[in-house]
């Protein structure tokens, strides 16, 4: 299909409407970022993406429908200029957008993040003219283009672990007149050739702050990144780097999540039934329901991150009504089973996984259920710890 002659006109109209909607919702409080969003053509960076179908398949998997201008011009352009994250890749496999296929399930590994969040990241990192920035996770290149539009291409470096993804992003950026420094590199190690930076902003999540990023940030500079883990708890941290190479800063509010850096992805843990069969402890009643950390609420989102800090190597899965906690590093496991209106827990292995989580939940309740903004993250040679005046220090996973 040949693109309609009025594509750029249609795109400009929808981009203007999206910009107004974002401004009305408070996402573009800074007039400079409003001008940037109005100027950058997002459709140039997403020739194709996936949207979820209304229902699941017979196996209960999400059905992902490919969307391109050739398949459905109106749906493609309307979705592009909505405040929506557009999934562009699953399982590290680059789609053929000339002949895309419907997908059933799969793990998203690349996307074009919703515009309001992209601007929020740059804003929360306090990025402004004159700063040199490192973006970790080029993705489609749309976020990179916004930074170039605001700062100028010469002050923007963006790295992407997926070489094919970077190649497509580079083509789109250069076609739009943006010429940042681009490199295929693992964000875990930053990018030494362009260091040091005034700001580092990660569009992926890490289990802990990579020490290399501190070394590549100028004293007084800031790092904004999302911390995550194998329980899929998330928190964003804004760190200020000191002259001594240490860093500290607050957690930020909200329920923001990013895909994990590929080297920090959770390992496969096998069959939960095999782990459950090896539990030796007698069952006991627990005062805390697992729903406290896995419910679809903002508090549970926050609590899952705190729980994860107590058991950084644990993973959680539910089979039927039974919740399994599995730690492939230590060989520990636990199960939580509904019983008499409450829950029973059985544990085994050197680490009492649920007992550690119970301690965090108890301390959290005693402290008055403090929000993420009341926590500070400290990063130094001795490790990485969350600190709260009414809670014991919580160590993060090893970087």
């Amino acid at each position: 299909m040949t693109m309609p002659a009025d594509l750029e006109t249609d795109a400009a109209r929808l981009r203007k409407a999206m910009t107004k909607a974002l401004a009305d919702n408070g996402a573009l409080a800074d007039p400079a970022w409003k001008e940037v969003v109005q100027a950058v053509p997002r459709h140039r960076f997403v020739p194709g993406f996936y949207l979820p179908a209304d229902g699941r398949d017979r196996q209960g998997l999400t059905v992902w429908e490919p969307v391109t201008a050739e398949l459905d011009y109106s749906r493609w352009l309307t979705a592009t200029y909505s405040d929506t994250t557009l999934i562009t890749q699953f399982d590290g496999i680059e789609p053929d957008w000339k002949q895309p296929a419907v997908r059933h399930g799969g793990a998203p590994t690349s996307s074009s993040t919703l515009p309001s969040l992209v601007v929020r990241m740059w804003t929360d990192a306090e990025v402004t003219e004159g700063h040199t920035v490192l973006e970790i996770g080029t993705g489609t290149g749309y976020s990179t283009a916004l930074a170039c539009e605001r700062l100028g291409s010469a002050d923007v470096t963006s790295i992407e672990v997926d070489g094919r993804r970077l190649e497509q992003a580079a083509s789109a950026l250069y076609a739009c007149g943006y010429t940042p420094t681009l490199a295929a590199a693992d964000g875990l190690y930053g990018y030494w050739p362009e260091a040091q930076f005034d700001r580092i902003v990660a569009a992926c999540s890490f289990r802990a702050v990579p020490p290399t990023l501190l070394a590549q940030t100028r004293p007084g500079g800031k790092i904004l990144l999302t911390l995550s883990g194998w329980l899929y708890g998330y928190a964003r941290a804004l760190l200020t780097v000191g002259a001594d190479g240490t860093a500290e800063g607050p957690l930020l509010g909200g329920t923001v999540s990013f895909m994990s850096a590929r080297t920090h992805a959770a390992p496969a843990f096998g069959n939960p039934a095999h782990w459950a069969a090896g539990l030796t402890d007698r069952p006991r009643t627990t005062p805390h329901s697992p729903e406290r950390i896995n419910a679809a609420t903002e508090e549970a989102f926050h609590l899952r991150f705190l729980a994860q800090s107590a058991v950084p190597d644990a993973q959680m899965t539910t089979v039927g009504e039974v919740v399994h906690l599995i730690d492939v590093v230590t060989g520990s496991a636990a199960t939580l089973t509904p019983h008499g209106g409450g829950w029973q827990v059985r544990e085994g292995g050197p680490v009492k996984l649920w007992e550690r989580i119970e301690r965090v939940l108890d301390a959290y309740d005693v402290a008055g259920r403090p929000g993420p903004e009341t926590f500070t993250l400290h990063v130094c040679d001795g490790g990485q710890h969350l600190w709260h005046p009414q809670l014991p220090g919580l160590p993060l996973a090893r970087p």
Side-chain angles (χ1 to χ4, degrees):
M1 170 183 168
T2 302
M3 288 290 183
D6 52 358
L7 167 60
E8 296 303 326
T9 300
D10 291 342
R13 173 177 53 81
L14 291 172
R15 186 162 62 252
K16 182 178 181 179
M18 181 185 77
T19 303
K20 182 180 185 303
L22 293 176
D24 291 345
N25 290 334
L28 298 176
D30 183 341
W33 283 116
K34 182 177 179 180
E35 291 181 10
V36 165
V37 173
Q38 179 63 58
V40 176
R42 192 186 189 199
H43 66 281
R44 300 280 191 90
F45 298 90
V46 284
F49 47 84
Y50 291 96
L51 293 177
D54 292 335
R56 294 176 177 267
D57 66 12
R58 293 180 180 179
Q59 285 74 44
L61 299 175
T62 301
V63 177
W64 295 95
E65 298 175 340
V67 181
T68 67
E70 289 77 10
L71 291 172
D72 189 331
Y73 172 77
S74 178
R75 188 186 188 195
W76 167 71
L77 199 57
T78 299
T80 296
Y81 287 107
S82 63
D83 193 31
T84 304
T85 292
L86 305 173
I87 305 299
T88 55
Q89 187 192 80
F90 287 89
D91 303 319
I93 301 172
E94 194 67 28
D96 178 2
W97 291 116
K98 295 181 179 179
Q99 295 180 312
V102 173
R103 289 195 58 96
H104 294 255
T109 47
S110 190
S111 67
S112 176
T113 303
L114 64 160
S116 63
L117 178 53
V118 173
V119 173
R120 181 178 172 185
M121 293 291 287
W122 292 125
T123 301
D124 285 346
E126 302 171 12
V127 169
T128 192
E129 288 81 357
H131 284 155
T132 56
V133 303
L134 171 65
E135 177 189 40
I136 299 174
T138 312
T140 65
Y142 175 67
S143 174
T144 317
L146 294 178
C148 290
E149 184 71 27
R150 176 73 186 265
L151 305 177
S153 297
D155 287 334
V156 178
T157 298
S158 185
I159 60 175
E160 168 63 48
V161 71
D162 186 323
R164 288 192 62 190
R165 183 102 297 282
L166 182 70
E167 183 179 352
Q168 294 192 26
S171 295
L173 285 162
Y174 298 154
C176 291
Y178 303 117
T179 57
T181 298
L182 300 174
D186 189 332
L188 185 64
Y189 305 103
Y191 199 60
W192 283 107
E194 296 296 313
Q196 289 180 320
F197 302 97
D198 295 303
R199 297 290 186 269
I200 295 180
V201 177
C204 61
S205 63
F206 296 98
R207 297 184 71 207
V209 182
T212 308
L213 301 188
L214 272 63
Q216 293 181 17
T217 304
R218 290 193 178 97
K222 296 180 185 292
I223 300 171
L224 178 66
L225 79 171
T226 301
L227 299 168
S228 66
W230 297 345
L231 285 185
Y232 297 102
Y234 296 88
R236 288 191 310 146
L238 179 61
L239 302 171
T240 300
V241 177
D244 58 356
T246 64
E248 67 175 57
L251 299 186
L252 304 183
T255 54
V256 174
S257 60
F258 279 100
M259 298 171 192
S260 295
R262 296 189 187 184
T263 47
H264 281 191
F269 53 76
N271 187 336
H274 296 165
W275 291 84
L279 298 179
T280 56
D281 290 7
R282 295 176 61 86
R284 63 176 177 85
T285 300
T286 173
H288 298 289
S289 162
E291 293 176 354
R292 290 204 66 184
I293 63 173
N294 62 20
T297 65
E298 189 164 340
E299 183 181 56
F301 188 92
H302 172 46
L303 271 177
R304 189 157 58 250
F305 178 75
L306 298 183
Q308 176 180 275
S309 300
V311 287
D313 297 321
Q315 299 182 61
M316 182 169 57
T317 187
T318 301
V319 181
E321 294 185 312
V322 180
V323 177
H324 296 257
L325 286 166
I326 296 167
D327 181 341
V328 301
V329 176
T330 67
S332 306
T335 59
L336 292 106
T337 306
H339 180 77
W343 290 82
Q344 282 194 336
V345 58
R346 294 183 66 204
E347 301 188 83
V351 177
K352 303 302 182 186
L353 300 174
W354 188 250
E355 184 177 309
R356 286 193 178 184
I357 292 175
E358 285 175 327
R359 291 175 191 162
V360 171
L361 296 177
D362 287 341
Y364 172 79
D365 290 340
V366 170
R369 301 187 172 188
E373 301 91 340
T374 63
F375 288 79
T376 302
L377 177 63
H378 298 264
V379 183
C380 59
D381 290 340
Q384 305 186 19
H385 292 79
L386 285 176
W387 183 86
H388 185 276
Q390 295 175 274
L391 288 170
L394 294 171
L396 268 68
R398 294 174 297 277

